[in-house]
Each structure stands twice: as structure tokens, then as C-alpha cells.
Amino acid sequence: MDAKTCLQKLQYVGVLAFATVDKNGGPQIRNISAIHYEPETMYFFTAKGKDFCRQLLSDGRVQILGYTKYKEMIRLSAKARPVSEVEQGKWIDAIFAEQPYLSNVYPGDTRKLAGIVFEIVDAEIEYFNLGVNPIFRESYTVGKGTVTGKGYQITDICIGCGTCAEHCPQRCIEAGTPYQIQQEHCLHCGNCHTVCPVQAVEKRG
């Protein structure tokens, strides 16, 4: 798996959930299919008058979530930015050509008066597959995106008792000095953190 494949999978899903935060700090989420994909860039269309647009213009942070029929969760975290004025028409036309239904929503020139296209160039992608055993997860970057450490790790104060491994639902903790969590198979459930008798397990990130 890699970032390019994850973007291809999001394209196959089609309708994605886009989450932002409003001016009061409340979560906002909506489904969007007005999207165009390039190898390492995502473009999406919305109306200038929508709260979604105002949130993106004021903050830019967005999380995008897709879920495939194979039980794969793909989450993209990024900052969206408006496409330059000179390229707005180009990408609006590209999105409308790929999504013909949009012409019923914004017929004729109304699309360019009402609409705006944002681009995502730098992003973190989290891939999480619940359809395999053990589960598999990994993170990738697009452009200048960075990976945020998540889950748990076992520190050097581990006494090697094995309690964490006994309570791991995915059996992804290996014996050692200290014990080691196989991060690519970790659920991030926190059982190891809860049961460790010496608090040797700490949260990452």
C-alpha cells in the first residue's frame, strides 16, 4: 500500500465525508463527490456561500474519510487552499465533466459564479484495514505532509511480565526487552496501557 493507491481507492469510493470545525469549535461534516484527482493532488468544488467554504477559507484544516467495501478506512488530513483565480475555470470544468449531475445543480455559467475549487497538495493519509487478520494500518504522506504518531509504545521501564501481550486482542505485542508493539497491526484500543502493572506503556503523539 502507498499514498497513490490510497488516493485511487478514495476515487473508487466516490462520495467522501469531509470534516471541518465551525467558528464555535463544533465539528461539521458533509458528503462530497464533486472531486477531481491528479496523481498527488485532490481538487474539490463547493459553493462560495456555504459554511463549508467559509470554514476552509478561515482555517483550511480538513479531514476526509472514505470506507471501501473491503473494510478499508482511508483518512486524509490536510490543509485545503483555494486554487488560483486563473485556474478556477479549468478545474471547475474538469470536475463538472466527470460528474455530469452537477450541471443539474449549477447549470450554465452559475457554476463559475457560485462555485470555488480547493486543492489539497500536502497531506497525511492513514490506511486502516479491518478486513484482514491481523488488522493492518499504515500512514503515508503526500507532498510535504507529515505523519503524526498515534497509538501506544512500551518504554524501557517494562519488566517483561507479558501482561500487555495477554490482553492484546490482535496479539501484536512481541516479547523483548522491552516488549514491542507491532504498530502496523495495533488497534490503538489501549488495553496494554490499561493493564500494565508498572505504567510502562505510553501514548504516542
Side-chain angles (χ1 to χ4, degrees), residues 28-43:
Q28 300 290 318
I29 191 165
R30 72 286 295 162
N31 289 329
I32 292 181
S33 60
I35 307 169
H36 172 77
Y37 295 85
E38 292 290 320
E40 291 194 350
T41 308
M42 176 187 288
Y43 299 89

Side-chain angles (χ1 to χ4, degrees), residues 85-114:
E85 286 294 330
V86 296
E87 291 205 321
Q88 282 288 333
K90 169 186 174 181
W91 295 115
I92 288 175
D93 289 344
I95 291 170
F96 274 67
E98 294 172 11
Q99 304 287 345
Y101 80 92
L102 289 171
S103 294
N104 297 324
V105 183
Y106 298 101
D109 289 338
T110 63
R111 68 189 65 170
K112 293 181 179 176
L113 178 64

Side-chain angles (χ1 to χ4, degrees), residues 65-93:
L65 184 68
Y67 194 71
T68 77
K69 65 180 180 179
Y70 302 109
K71 312 304 180 190
E72 300 164 294
M73 184 279 292
I74 301 170
R75 179 167 53 203
L76 187 151
S77 302
K79 257 200 165 181
R81 65 191 185 198
V83 171
S84 68
E85 286 294 330
V86 296
E87 291 205 321
Q88 282 288 333
K90 169 186 174 181
W91 295 115
I92 288 175
D93 289 344

Side-chain angles (χ1 to χ4, degrees), residues 141-156:
T141 58
V142 175
K144 296 179 181 177
T146 57
V147 172
T148 304
K150 295 182 179 179
Y152 296 85
Q153 62 188 12
I154 301 172
T155 67
D156 289 339

